[in-house]
Structures are given as structure tokens and as C-alpha cells.
Amino acid sequence: MPLSVHHRRPRRPLRLLLPWLVGALPVLCGLLIMYWQAERELQGRSEASAKQTATQIERILDNISAAARDLLPLAGLPCVEEKLALRDQVTRRAFVRSTNLVYRGELYCSSLFGPYSEPVHDSDYTQGTLWLMSGNSVTPGHALLVFRVTEGDRGAISTVDGDHLISALHLLDADVHPLLQIGSHWMDRDGNVKDGPLPVAEVAAAQVTSTRYPFSIHSGYAQGKVGELMRSEYPALFGLLVVLGAIAGVTCYWQLRRVTSPRAELQRAMEAQEFLPYFQPVVRRGDYRWAGVEVLMRWQHPRDGLVRPDLFIPYAEHSGQIVPMTRQLMQRTAELLAPHADTLDDGFHVGINITADHCQDLTLYDDCQAFLAAFPADKVVLTLELTERKLIVPSEVTHTLFSKLHELGVLIALDDFGTGQSSLAYLQQFKVDYLKIDQSFVAMIGGDALSLHILDSVIELSSKLGLGIVAEGVETEAQRDYLDRHNVDFQQGYLFARPMSAEAFIQALATQHPPLVVSH
Ligand code: G
Ligand code: G
Ligand code: MN
């Protein structure tokens, strides 16, 4: 059926998928931007906290290095005399845990023990000044940072407790994971000092190296921090994206539906003039000359070929497009037949099928008038075929319309007669001129006596009502002869001619015989 298959088939999955893709696009783009934004935000935070931590550690080192520098001139002097000066520094300076004096590679005096003896190895100190220890004999397993200043044989050492460093590393953002690196040693915010390769943060890794002391601060976040930040900070934005995505998806869906709907397809076909009139002659009783013709709509579909009306007329009726389609069909018929008007007998009947919807306003009158104006006066009789399957609801408008149509000389035929529910009152109300006996009754000829009786009654009724009769669907000579004997005025059917194209019809008009190659 053209209305369901006309969409090029391979595009069907795409049609179903497209609204989802269009809907997902703003969400995906938005998420990408949000992700990028969150990463930048974290990078900024990571760098800022590394910088602040480094500043704080420099401050601590300033404090303890001042102590060492103050004590340096005392190095080499006897310990018993200087140990009070060592303790004085410990007391005065907030971050100093201990102070020591060195002479010729030996730590010989300590603020804690007084005279002491321990070798000092240069290799322990990064750039000769800093040594990050995981612990010493006083506090094993507890981090300690040692600062050393040397001048010739003399040296002074001050230390700071790991707890101060831990506090510095805890200064900022609770989620950031800062590390203090000195030479090959590094310490995390829990105070663990380790040796070896430094772990690199998975997210927003940043590093700040002090310009004044040989240490670096590394910071960053654990895996999943970007997602966490997005979840906590952008839920409103995300909601907006989902709403935008939904709007985009639904809009796309409707747009596609509009473009591929039967209504749009019929509209397209109408604009492309794909609806063509086909013609089936109606013959007169006796000599079987062509007394008229019924115009039957065909759809010359660009891909599906010639489409029969029962496949698309119901859609057109449903959408209301049948009215402009019929108008176009009437114009086309007039254009095609008018130039050959001289080959038509005078009073040639042209039957146009209309539906009840046509009768709701007076435009049908204008269409009929325009149709008749295309032919010389009295050349053609326009007959409107109204199906009995769908009766017209009488109203002021229909009353006016049918009176005006009669004034114009337009005849009314009741199509498919016998299949519907029309009453005598109905026939009178719409001033019906012809009954077209449905082909199902004609098919009864040659059948059982009861069926024939029904057909006879229909014929009798119409002659009593003074109406003309057209028998439809005449296929055999037996049917033709039977209808003849029963005074049926007109016949139509494959026996005489099948519906044919305008070209074939015009060609056959001259000879009054259907061409050998008949169209369906
Ligand atoms: O030709 P056939 O297969 O040709 O027609 C099938 C049905 O379509 C018939 O019931 C006929 O009345 C209807 N039909 C054909 N052409 C038209 C038309 O132009 N308008 C309407 N409303 N019905 C039509
Ligand atoms: O408008 P209506 O419903 O009367 O349309 C006539 C329909 O009957 C069209 O579909 C036409 O093609 C079809 N038709 C016309 N003559 C014959 C015939 O002799 N036999 C059959 N089976 N159908 C016919
Ligand atoms: Mn008809």
C-alpha cells in the first residue's frame, strides 16, 4: 500500500532512531561541556591548593631555618656551654622541635640530649639542606623534616615535627590528595614517608616546586572526582539538558511524522499532479454506444506504479483532502476531454464520484460550474455519484447545494445502490436522478431464483420511482441480455470496457471500441 510503504524502506530504522539521536545530542554535548568545565574547575582547585600548601611549608621552613642560622656561629664551641642556646630556639620558634650543632661531620650537641655523637652524611640531604625522615630514634615511625645549614666545618640542624607538615597538607579541600616531595622521599597527608616513584594523581594532577627550598607539592584527585563534582554541582543544569533533549527529540519525531504521514504524502502527490482520471464507458441499452463515462481516480505513484483508489481514498476522506483532490481530478478531466468534445455524443454523461464530505459547503457548486464551462453548452451532462455506503446528513447547506446543482443541470446518481440504507425520503431529498445498481446484484444473474428476485425488485423499484438505472459490473453476455430484457437503461462493466487511461479513452472514442490493450 503506497501510504505505508512509500517511505524509502532503508530509511525506516533511521526514522525510528533519529528522534532519539536528536534528543540525545544536546544531552551528550551538554555533558561533554559540563565534564570539561568540571575538569577545569578541579584543575584550578588542585593548583590553588598545591600553591597554598607550598606557601605554608615555606613558612614552616623559614621558621626552622632561622633557628639553624641563628645557631650556626655557635657550631664548634663546647656543647655544655651552648645547649641552653639550642633549647632557647626550640622554645622561641613555634615550629622547631629540636636544634643541633655539627662540627666536622659530627652532630655533637643536641637540644634534647645535650652532648651527643652521631655522624652526619651529606648524601641524606637534598641539595645539602633538607631531609625528610620517616622517623628517628626519639620518635620512630613518626615523620620528621630536617633542615641543615653548613659553613665550612660548621653546621647547624633544626627539625620540624611531621605533624606540622600533616597540618599543612590538610589545609585545603578535603578531597585533594597532596604529597610533599623532597628528593627521593615523599610524604602523604597521613604522615607516611615513602621512598621511590611518586604516585601521580588520576584527576587534575598539579605540581608546585618551591623556589626557595628544595621541595615540591603534588596534588590532584582520585578517579571519579569529575563525575562526583558534576553530580553535586550541576543537577539543575543536567535537568535542563534532559528537558531540552526531550523537546528536541519530540520535535524531531513530530516533524518526521508530519513529513511522512499519509496526509503529507497525499499533499505531495497532489502538488506533483500524480492523481489521474481513468475512464470507464457506460453504454446505452440496445446499440451499446457509449452514452457516458465514469471517471475513476488513479494514483500514478512514482515508485509503486498505478495505485487503485480503494487503497488511498479512505485516507483522503479521513483527512478531508478528498475535496481538493476531486477538484483537481475534475479540472484534469475537463482539460483532457474538452479538446475532444466533438467526438462525444451530445448530452454525454460524465460521472464523478463524490463523498458526503463534499456536500458540506457550496464549493462543489463552483467546481461543477467550472467543469461544465470547459465544454460547449449541452455537450456533457455532469453526474455526481454519491455512494450509498455513506449517506449525506441533510442540512440547510446540503439543501441549498442540491437545489443549485439541479439548476445547473447537474444530475445525481446513487452509487452502489442496494448495499446501503437509503430510504425513499433520502432519494427525494437529494433529488436523485439515477440509481447505479451495485455489481454484487448483477453478479446474481445466472444464480438462484431468490437472488434474481432481489435484483428484479431493485429494478422494479427504480422504474416506479421514475429514476434512470445503470447496472454496474456487467461481465457476461448473459448478464447484458438479462438486463436488456428488464429495461435497464445503461450498463457498465468489463464486458464493454475496462477503466482506461485518458489517451486510450480518447483514441477509442472515435471507433467506440475499447483498444485491444486494456488497462486496469
Ligand atoms: O476503479 P475502482 O477500483 O476503480 O474504484 C474503486 C472505488 O473507488 C469505487 O468505489 C469508486 O467509486 C471509488 N472511486 C474511484 N474514483 C473516485 C473518486 O474520484 N472519488 C471518490 N470519492 N471515490 C472514487
Ligand atoms: O464507483 P463504483 O463503486 O461504482 O466503482 C466501480 C468499481 O467497479 C471500480 O473499481 C471499477 O474498476 C469496478 N468495475 C467496473 N466494471 C467492473 C466489472 O465488470 N467487474 C468488476 N469486478 N468490477 C468492475
Ligand atoms: Mn462510482
Side-chain angles (χ1 to χ4, degrees), residues 294-296 351-354 385-386 415-416 436 472 492:
E294 177 175 2
V295 179
L296 295 160
I352 300 281
N353 292 286
I354 60 165
E385 299 191 10
L386 273 167
D415 209 355
D416 313 312
K436 291 192 81 172
E472 286 190 295
Q492 179 183 352

